[in-house]
Amino acid sequence: MTDTFAQPSDAADAIAEQAARLRQETHRDAHAAAEFGVNNPMAEMHHMVKGERDNALVECLSYVLGTDETAADAYIARWAAANGGDVESAAVRVKDQPTASRLALQRAEAKVVDALREAGTEGLSRKELDPLLGRLGWREEDRWLKKAIVAGTVVERRYGRSTRYVYTASASLPAGPTAEGAATQR
């Protein structure tokens, strides 16, 4: 970059354009790759490589501008806004953008929560919940359910031999055992 005869403003604009396009492309690719599920190692690798390239572009731009990386990021966002780019994705560095696996996990978690909300106070049995939890990825089913129970977003209710899982925002939680004494909370 320093061996060219380009004006610093032209060089800064060229770098900002490359960085903005890279960030927009990474955002779009992550959303597309999330359709393939939680475990997508190739998408993770591509995201990491693009993150390193983004870091190099920001470092180079900060050198050309004579500022720090925060100012270089702001310059990229301003360039995207001035040139009709997607400012939201151009303003976020690749390393800070969610990966395809994270997006797929968020979508799967949202489906579980939606199903629990739709079930209302009746809740879902583990047998009904397992296909939804299976989308979270290998060994994540139990972890997610335990975290939700500990966080208080899901309540485990036992009725005799059966267990139902209820989303607490849609459930009116009893203070103690019901009149029959069958339901307990954990």
Side-chain angles (χ1 to χ4, degrees):
M1 210 41 149
T2 57
D3 294 336
T4 65
F5 295 105
Q7 294 293 323
S9 62
D10 293 339
D13 285 345
I15 296 168
E17 178 182 4
Q18 286 181 23
R21 288 179 196 240
L22 177 68
R23 292 174 181 185
Q24 293 166 0
E25 173 186 310
T26 302
H27 179 77
R28 186 176 51 250
D29 290 349
H31 281 275
E35 298 297 323
F36 294 103
V38 175
N39 296 324
N40 193 338
M42 286 303 290
E44 296 296 314
M45 185 179 69
H46 287 296
H47 190 89
M48 184 182 70
V49 169
K50 289 177 181 179
E52 293 300 319
R53 184 168 178 231
D54 184 42
N55 288 343
L57 288 169
V58 170
E59 185 178 330
C60 186
L61 182 59
S62 66
Y63 177 77
V64 168
L65 295 173
T67 61
D68 61 351
E69 290 185 1
T70 306
D73 282 329
Y75 187 89
I76 293 167
R78 282 194 310 272
W79 184 93
N83 292 293
D86 180 18
V87 180
E88 281 187 36
S89 61
V92 180
R93 292 186 71 167
V94 171
K95 68 181 180 181
D96 297 329
Q97 292 180 11
T99 63
S101 296
R102 183 68 199 144
L103 288 171
L105 184 63
Q106 289 171 352
R107 290 175 186 174
E109 288 173 347
K111 287 180 182 180
V112 172
V113 170
D114 288 343
L116 286 168
R117 281 186 184 142
E118 286 177 19
T121 57
E122 186 178 313
L124 296 173
S125 69
R126 183 61 191 246
K127 187 176 181 179
E128 296 166 325
L129 204 51
D130 275 342
L132 296 169
L133 291 172
R135 295 179 182 171
L136 297 175
W138 184 64
R139 297 178 62 186
E140 285 299 315
E141 308 96 354
D142 289 328
R143 288 183 192 148
W144 186 89
L145 195 55
K146 286 177 185 176
K147 285 180 192 176
I149 291 170
V150 168
T153 56
V154 174
V155 175
E156 186 178 45
R157 291 189 178 166
R158 295 178 192 250
Y159 299 100
R161 289 184 165 188
S162 68
T163 303
R164 307 291 287 182
Y165 297 92
V166 180
Y167 186 73
T168 58
S170 64
S172 57
L173 300 175
T178 61
E180 299 86 26
T184 59
Q185 293 182 16
R186 198 199 284 165

